[in-house]
Amino acid sequence: MSGSWTIDPNTMVSLRLSEAERAVQNSDLDRALIEAEELLDENPAHARGLAIAAHAALGMGDILTALAALNRFVELHPPDARILQSLAAARFEAVDYSGALAAAEQATALDPSVGAAWHYQGLALERIGKTDEAAQRFKKANDVDSKAFPLPVGWDDIPWTDLLDVALEGLPQPLQVFYDGVPIRWENFPAVEDLLENYPPLSPFTDALYRGKLPEGGDPWKDRPKHVTLFRGNLSRPSADHGDIIQRLMEALVHESLHWLGITEVPN
């Protein structure tokens, strides 16, 4: 007896969902996203599939995929506070600060116990210059969970120049030479236009950015960036401990120099 058989579409969706849920439980985000996308191929409007796809993509830093899943979710289904909080996080990473604020405010209107939503309200308000309102929202987040959302410390009293000197001295010798003569500037946070120069956008949590373009045929060891900007607001979080800041400064300086040099490993 010959013939072919197929799996009922509803059964296939159920199997895909089970595999995606298992991958989430195992923190296998790559697998979770694959299974969720396969599920959505079977049923593009599946609410849990969209939620898993968004969760996995956010965790992997794939902001555009996360935003697409979340936007489709809120278009097709009534969102709960957790979905709205995820939407706020994705919008913030996409440098849509007003959109992040709106989604986070909707989240806390539904459930004031979602501390992350208060925190993202603070982040968004801070980036658009409303520092007093931002402080109030950070306090709300801290009231919900003081361990997960410690109150941000002011960075004005941190001895940035001294810490930078220590960080530079801790770099491998070739990178110390590289930075010799490269102007270092300070800002509180990256400018929106600088983040949006890239696609996908650079994260608002970026610690450093170099400016300049290597001339065609130029030597990246000799033709250095015009300057490197370091961002106090990001570098002072989540910890304002001087040792932690020095470590973050070193990591940021290494990252920017390797990117300029077009190499992936620190030279000896």
Side-chain angles (χ1 to χ4, degrees):
M1 181 176 180
S2 62
S4 61
W5 57 276
T6 59
I7 299 178
D8 177 75
N10 291 332
T11 301
M12 181 61 74
V13 167
S14 179
L15 290 171
R16 294 291 189 195
L17 179 59
S18 295
E19 289 299 319
E21 296 279 14
R22 185 177 297 110
V24 170
Q25 292 170 6
N26 294 333
S27 299
D28 187 352
L29 297 183
D30 185 65
R31 187 66 189 171
L33 181 57
I34 291 171
E35 293 295 343
E37 289 180 332
E38 292 285 351
L39 184 159
L40 293 170
D41 285 341
E42 300 286 340
N43 182 352
H46 196 283
R48 184 58 183 154
L50 290 167
I52 292 174
H55 168 78
L58 266 180
M60 295 165 61
D62 186 350
I63 302 306
L64 299 184
T65 297
L67 267 179
L70 290 163
N71 286 335
R72 185 158 179 78
F73 188 106
V74 299
E75 177 186 347
L76 298 175
H77 308 286
D80 61 16
R82 300 291 173 177
I83 287 292
L84 289 167
Q85 158 51 29
S86 294
L87 180 60
R91 286 177 174 175
F92 184 83
E93 286 284 0
V95 202
D96 177 9
Y97 299 145
S98 60
L101 178 61
E105 287 180 335
Q106 292 172 33
T108 53
L110 290 175
D111 185 354
S113 71
V114 181
W118 291 114
H119 182 70
Y120 270 90
Q121 289 174 41
L123 291 173
L125 286 163
E126 186 175 57
R127 300 305 175 103
I128 60 180
K130 297 183 177 181
T131 54
D132 290 341
E133 290 181 52
Q136 296 170 8
R137 310 301 170 88
F138 286 136
K139 180 62 167 61
K140 289 275 193 179
N142 181 259
D143 289 343
V144 171
D145 188 338
S146 59
K147 185 176 181 179
F149 306 108
L151 291 173
V153 300
W155 52 79
D156 290 341
D157 296 329
I158 294 174
W160 290 106
T161 300
D162 294 341
L163 299 185
L164 175 61
D165 288 342
V166 176
L168 287 168
E169 290 173 3
L171 294 179
Q173 187 63 30
L175 298 188
Q176 292 187 37
V177 173
F178 173 82
Y179 276 107
D180 186 24
V182 175
I184 303 291
R185 299 183 180 182
W186 297 95
E187 297 289 346
N188 291 340
F189 297 107
V192 168
E193 56 269 23
D194 290 340
L195 298 176
L196 293 179
E197 278 187 0
N198 296 268
Y199 186 82
L202 294 177
S203 171
F205 297 114
T206 296
D207 287 333
L209 280 176
Y210 70 73
R211 304 302 295 172
K213 186 175 181 181
L214 183 66
E216 185 175 352
D219 182 345
W221 286 99
K222 296 179 180 179
D223 300 302
R224 254 74 68 79
K226 291 181 179 179
H227 62 265
V228 172
T229 303
L230 300 170
F231 303 108
R232 291 175 288 232
N234 290 339
L235 287 161
S236 60
R237 298 173 184 170
S239 169
D241 176 83
H242 289 186
D244 292 340
I245 291 176
I246 290 169
Q247 183 62 36
R248 293 193 65 167
L249 281 166
M250 291 175 63
E251 291 171 356
L253 292 167
V254 167
H255 179 274
E256 292 305 293
S257 60
L258 295 189
H259 189 275
W260 175 266
L261 294 167
I263 57 179
T264 58
E265 295 184 0
V266 178
N268 295 320

